[in-house]
């Protein structure tokens, strides 16, 4: 009880509330831009966490976590474009309602059910912490290591249509996460003699590269507004709220279901949305209006996705196993703030855990109220061409990446990871699996080392380890069995028309070749090192190479048609090279000068904006960079022009 009261007192402080509201506002902005989602938004926030009080920094992160599933409802309802994978099911009935002039009704119902679902999820999370505390305290490093592997296996198995693609993505994420010093011996691995890699690759750079930059480049290439046409909000704000309270049993069931599903690593995102949408349809006596504008088709998924965000915090906080990609970045944020998830979260840091829970509940309330109050102006924002937002977002990404180590290596590695992100996305490989593998690498290796140190290799015979190992095996085998049974259940004529094996295209082949080359280089580097130094990298190499080879032997190759998919990937890679060129200009001309000139010229020449608008945005960006630089004591690359520009500003 003392911990609960202490947490409540913490979140009611002015500082905590201010940062919580800031996180909510950022989450709302991120949510209305299709494709970005919580992973990219949280990656942008990570650099600002350095030096923050843990409870305050976590408050800002929780504000963003809570409101992104709420903010992305705007695009889903108003123009039928899912703001993220977690809002796909909302489109089914939300967009038809908007086309019928009932957008206000759909939005108010969505925000109200999101509020209830988020608060219910926070309450369930709070109760689960109390119940699970004795279990967590009984876990040793051996069980925690196996739980980490369980999280990886479940995420890989459920991250796409191909099990081996998910496992390979997880494996290469683990491999990248082992670059640098081995925690057991202090030996350096896979640094290739590059000074930048001796401390490993920063999470900020990986998160921005694998998600944020590829998504922004794709939106930039499309060069369209978020909404091609605007749907009027119409009336019905009160009607939407009444709809929610008329369907409270549905809201309650979907909230509980969303929390439970979110607690299982890998079963977040669009999975819980479609599950609850299907449940709402099947439990309804009249199914005829679903897909045509049934308000229950909005209420069910929106209740679940906010509760799911709370549920994903259960494995993240208690076991250090992220329940989703967003939770993986949140876990990285905890580590940046000096907080180690696991036993300490129900022991010495119990009050901090409840601060997170209270913050989550409050952020859901603030986010829903803010969305209701700002619905009209946000609806107008969706009609702004994305190209006008692009230079500001790109500057933020490069600014955030530079805060990792404040060296040119941040930009080079950002370009390399972004290239990998583009390839994985274009070939439909799982990027969340890669990110989760990267985040879990350090903790998994530490648990592995501690297990050997405390128990020798006898740790594999512990009862808890054997139980979790069985769950891991089932998580891999069950999807394969289901896939086989589904294939056998198809009519014979269909199976004759379809190839027995899914062929790999040229892009899959290129990714597999890159993974095998990376595994060969890593194997050559770690082979002659001590046993504890090479043990975990060898596991990552075996997982990556084995899954890649399984893809090759388990699929029938086909010859790619000339130019198939190459134009789109080529354009995206060209943009990556242009951004790397801008990063080089940061060190030649100066960070602030290059950013301002780039924004000015981009808006004027690329988007055709007037000089007044272009100059206003560039001036605002200048003030932001100078102000945040002074507030955070950041030393930007000065180059040739920044000293003169800053002297003029001082005058």
């Amino acid at each position: 009880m003392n911990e609960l009261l202490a947490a409540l007192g913490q979140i009611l402080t002015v500082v905590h509330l201010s940062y919580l509201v800031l996180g909510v506002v950022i989450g709302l902005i991120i949510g209305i831009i299709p494709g970005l989602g919580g992973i990219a938004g949280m990656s942008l926030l990570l650099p600002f966490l350095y030096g923050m009080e843990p409870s305050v920094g976590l408050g800002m992160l929780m504000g963003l976590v809570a409101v992104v599933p709420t903010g992305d409802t705007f695009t889903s309802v108003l123009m039928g474009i899912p703001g993220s994978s977690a809002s796909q099911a909302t489109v089914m009935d939300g967009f038809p309602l908007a086309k019928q002039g009932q957008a206000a009704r759909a939005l108010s119902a969505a925000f109200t059910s999101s509020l209830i679902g988020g608060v219910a999820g926070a309450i369930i999370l709070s109760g689960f912490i109390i119940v699970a505390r004795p279990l967590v305290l009984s876990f040793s490093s051996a069980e925690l290591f196996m739980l980490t592997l369980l999280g990886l296996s479940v995420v890989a198995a459920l991250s796409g249509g191909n099990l081996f693609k998910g496992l390979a993505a997880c494996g290469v994420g683990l491999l990248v996460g082992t670059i640098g010093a081995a925690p057991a011996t202090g030996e350096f691995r896979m640094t290739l003699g590059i000074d930048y890699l001796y401390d490993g690759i920063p999470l900020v750079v990986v998160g921005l590269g694998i998600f944020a930059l590829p998504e922004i480049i794709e939106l930039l290439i499309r060069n369209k507004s978020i909404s091609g046409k605007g749907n009027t909000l119409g009336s019905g704000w009160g009607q939407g709220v009444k709809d929610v309270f008329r369907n409270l049993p549905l809201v309650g069931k979907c909230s509980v279901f969303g929390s439970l599903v979110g607690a299982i690593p890998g079963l977040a995102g669009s999975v819980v949305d479609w599950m609850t949408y299907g449940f709402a349809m099947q439990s309804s006596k009249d199914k005829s209006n679903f897909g045509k504008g049934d308000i229950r088709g909005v209420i069910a998924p929106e209740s679940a996705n906010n509760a799911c965000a709370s549920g994903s915090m259960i494995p993240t906080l208690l076991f250090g196993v992220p329940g989703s990609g967003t939770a993986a970045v949140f876990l990285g944020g905890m580590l940046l703030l000096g907080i180690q998830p696991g036993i300490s979260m129900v022991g010495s840091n119990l009050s901090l855990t409840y601060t997170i829970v209270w913050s989550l509940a409050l952020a859901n309330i603030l986010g829903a109220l803010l969305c209701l109050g700002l619905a009209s102006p946000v609806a107008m924002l969706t009609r702004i061409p994305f190209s006008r937002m692009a230079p500001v977002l790109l500057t933020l990404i490069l600014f955030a990446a530079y805060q990792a180590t404040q060296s040119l290596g941040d930009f080079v590695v950002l370009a390399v990871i972004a290239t990998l992100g583009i390839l994985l996305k274009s070939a439909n490989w799982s990027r969340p699996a890669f990110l989760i593998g990267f985040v879990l690498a350090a903790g998994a290796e530490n648990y592995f080392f501690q297990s050997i140190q405390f128990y020798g290799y006898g740790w594999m015979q512990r009862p808890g380890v054997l139980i979790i190992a069985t769950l891991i095996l089932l998580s891999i085998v069950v999807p394969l069995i289901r896939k086989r049974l589904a294939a056998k259940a198809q009519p014979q004529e269909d199976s004759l028309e379809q190839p027995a094996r899914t062929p790999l295209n040229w892009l899959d082949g290129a990714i597999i070749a890159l993974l095998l080359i990376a595994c060969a280089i890593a194997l050559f580097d770690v082979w002659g090192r001590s046993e504890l130094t090479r043990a975990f990298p060898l596991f990552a190499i075996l997982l990556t190479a084995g899954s890649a080879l399984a893809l090759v032997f388990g699929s029938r190759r086909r010859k790619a048609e000339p130019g198939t998919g190459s134009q789109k990937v080529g354009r995206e890679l060209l943009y990556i090279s242009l951004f790397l060129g801008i990063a080089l200009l940061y060190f030649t001309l100066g960070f602030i000068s290059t950013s301002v000139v780039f924004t000015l010229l981009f808006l004027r020449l690329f988007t055709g904006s007037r000089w007044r608008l272009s100059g206003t945005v560039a001036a605002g960006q200048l003030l932001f960079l100078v102000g945040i630089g002074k507030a955070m004591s950041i030393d930007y690359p000065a180059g040739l022009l920044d000293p003169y520009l800053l002297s003029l500003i001082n005058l």
Side-chain angles (χ1 to χ4, degrees):
M1 183 59 69
N2 291 333
E3 289 83 1
L4 280 170
L5 295 176
L8 183 60
Q10 171 63 37
I11 69 165
L12 293 179
T13 60
V14 175
V15 176
H16 187 93
L17 282 175
S18 301
Y19 279 97
L20 183 69
V21 172
L22 178 62
V24 168
V25 172
I26 295 173
L28 175 61
I29 296 171
I30 293 295
I32 66 172
I33 301 177
L36 288 189
I39 298 176
M42 294 187 72
S43 299
L44 284 171
L45 284 184
L46 290 182
F48 300 97
L49 298 180
Y50 291 104
M52 271 193 181
E53 175 69 25
S55 59
V56 173
L58 287 174
M60 185 168 65
L61 285 176
M62 295 314 299
L64 192 145
V65 168
V67 84
V68 166
T70 306
D72 61 17
T73 306
F74 280 107
T75 54
S76 300
V77 170
L78 292 177
M79 67 287 300
I81 303 173
S84 67
S85 61
S87 62
Q88 292 174 357
T90 306
V91 174
M92 296 296 293
D93 288 286
F95 189 50
L97 282 168
K99 289 193 290 186
Q100 297 167 17
Q102 301 184 63
R105 178 191 177 193
L107 288 174
S108 63
F111 297 147
T112 305
S113 54
S114 293
L115 187 156
I116 296 173
V119 173
I123 294 172
I124 293 171
L125 172 60
S126 180
F128 192 90
I129 289 172
I130 297 173
V131 174
R133 186 180 183 186
L135 176 65
V136 176
L137 292 174
S138 68
F139 278 13
S140 69
S141 54
E143 284 80 15
L144 291 173
F145 172 69
M146 295 303 295
L147 278 172
T148 304
L149 296 187
L150 175 62
L152 287 172
S153 65
V154 174
V155 169
L158 298 170
S159 58
N162 193 305
L163 169 65
F164 293 112
K165 283 186 178 182
L167 289 174
C170 270
V172 75
L174 286 170
L175 190 60
V176 174
T178 59
I179 293 175
T185 62
E187 289 184 83
F188 293 100
R189 309 163 297 191
M190 295 175 287
T191 60
L192 304 177
I194 301 173
D195 292 343
Y196 179 87
L197 297 178
Y198 277 83
D199 289 330
I201 299 178
L203 172 65
V204 176
V205 177
V206 173
L208 292 172
I210 204 70
F211 276 100
L213 199 51
E215 298 296 346
I216 288 178
I217 289 173
E218 181 182 2
L219 292 170
L220 189 56
I221 289 175
R222 290 198 312 216
N223 194 24
K224 296 179 180 178
S225 61
I226 297 173
S227 170
K229 57 181 180 179
N231 285 307
T232 57
L233 293 177
S235 58
W237 291 104
Q239 181 62 41
V241 177
K242 291 178 182 177
D243 289 329
V244 172
F245 284 97
R246 258 201 310 266
N247 292 279
L248 267 182
L250 178 64
V251 174
K253 292 174 184 176
C254 292
S255 299
V256 173
F257 185 75
S259 298
L260 297 177
V261 171
I264 304 173
L267 275 180
S270 58
V271 177
V272 70
D273 264 34
W274 287 114
M275 283 181 174
T276 50
Y277 183 84
F279 170 76
M281 184 185 297
Q282 293 301 323
S283 61
S284 173
K285 294 181 180 179
D286 181 13
K287 307 177 179 64
S288 59
N289 206 34
F290 277 89
K292 301 175 184 177
D294 195 311
I295 197 66
R296 290 169 295 181
V298 174
I299 292 172
E302 289 299 317
S303 302
N305 58 25
N306 282 63
C308 184
S310 300
S312 67
M313 291 294 111
I314 293 174
T316 305
L317 294 174
L318 301 186
F319 308 119
V321 178
S324 63
T326 304
V329 185
F330 175 78
L331 177 59
M334 291 178 64
L335 298 176
L336 288 178
L337 292 169
I339 303 169
Q340 184 66 43
I343 295 174
S344 63
M345 300 305 294
V346 292
S348 57
N349 286 332
L350 185 58
S351 62
L352 185 60
T353 302
Y354 282 120
T355 299
I356 295 173
V357 175
W358 285 110
S359 298
L360 193 60
L362 183 58
N364 274 285
I365 296 171
L366 293 175
L369 295 177
L370 195 61
C371 286
L372 285 169
L374 298 179
S376 296
V378 168
M380 295 195 316
L381 281 177
T382 60
R383 294 192 282 273
I384 299 175
F386 178 78
S387 55
R388 295 187 179 180
M389 307 180 196
V392 176
L393 288 174
L394 290 172
T395 299
L396 283 175
I397 285 177
L398 295 173
F399 166 81
Y402 177 71
Q403 299 315 304
T405 65
Q406 299 191 4
S407 70
L408 180 60
D410 293 324
F411 298 126
V412 175
V413 174
L414 176 68
V416 172
I417 298 294
T419 300
L420 177 62
I422 287 171
L423 293 176
L424 294 179
K425 181 182 179 183
S426 301
N428 198 29
W429 289 51
S430 175
R431 291 179 295 162
F434 170 87
L435 180 62
I436 291 175
F438 175 83
V439 172
L440 291 180
E445 188 169 12
N446 269 318
Y447 291 141
F448 179 71
F449 162 65
Q450 292 169 4
S451 300
I452 295 176
Q453 186 181 36
F454 296 151
Y455 309 107
Y457 285 98
W459 65 269
M460 290 182 281
Q461 300 175 4
R462 290 172 62 87
V465 170
L466 294 175
I467 293 172
I468 300 173
T470 304
L471 295 175
I472 293 173
L473 185 62
L474 290 174
S475 69
I476 296 175
V477 173
V478 169
L480 291 176
I481 295 175
R482 285 180 177 174
K483 191 174 182 181
R484 288 285 180 88
L485 293 176
K488 289 182 179 180
Q490 289 181 347
Q492 185 66 24
E493 56 271 18
D494 292 346
S495 63
L496 292 175
E497 294 176 3
Q498 298 294 333
R501 294 170 180 174
T502 304
L504 296 176
N505 58 36
W506 70 270
L507 195 52
D508 288 319
I511 294 173
I512 290 172
L514 289 174
L515 295 186
L516 292 177
I517 291 171
C519 288
I521 294 173
L523 181 62
F524 178 79
D525 183 90
V526 303
W527 188 254
R529 303 187 186 276
S530 63
E531 182 180 356
L532 289 177
T533 300
R534 71 187 182 198
F536 197 77
L538 286 176
F539 167 76
I541 292 169
L542 180 63
L543 179 62
T544 306
S547 301
L549 292 174
L551 280 171
V552 174
F553 293 113
S555 303
R556 187 175 63 195
R557 285 183 177 277
R558 70 181 177 191
K559 292 184 179 180
E561 298 176 5
T564 301
S566 60
Q567 184 176 2
K568 179 183 177 183
V569 174
R571 290 184 65 185
E572 291 178 337
L573 296 181
L574 176 61
Y575 273 89
I576 291 291
S577 62
L578 291 175
F579 298 143
L580 184 58
I582 293 171
L584 293 174
L585 287 177
Y586 285 158
F587 290 85
T588 306
L589 302 179
F591 188 96
I592 299 177
S593 303
T594 301
S595 299
V596 172
V597 172
F598 166 70
T599 299
L600 180 67
L601 296 180
F602 185 95
L603 290 175
R604 183 67 184 94
L605 301 178
F606 187 82
T607 69
S609 301
R610 295 182 178 181
W611 282 112
R612 178 180 296 178
L613 175 62
S614 304
T616 301
V617 175
Q621 191 177 72
L622 172 64
L623 293 176
F624 169 78
L625 290 175
V626 172
I628 200 71
K630 290 184 177 180
M632 298 178 63
S633 301
I634 299 171
D635 293 324
Y636 297 116
L640 299 174
L641 300 181
D642 273 13
Y644 299 101
L645 179 63
L646 292 175
S647 63
L648 288 174
I649 293 175
N650 290 331
L651 289 175

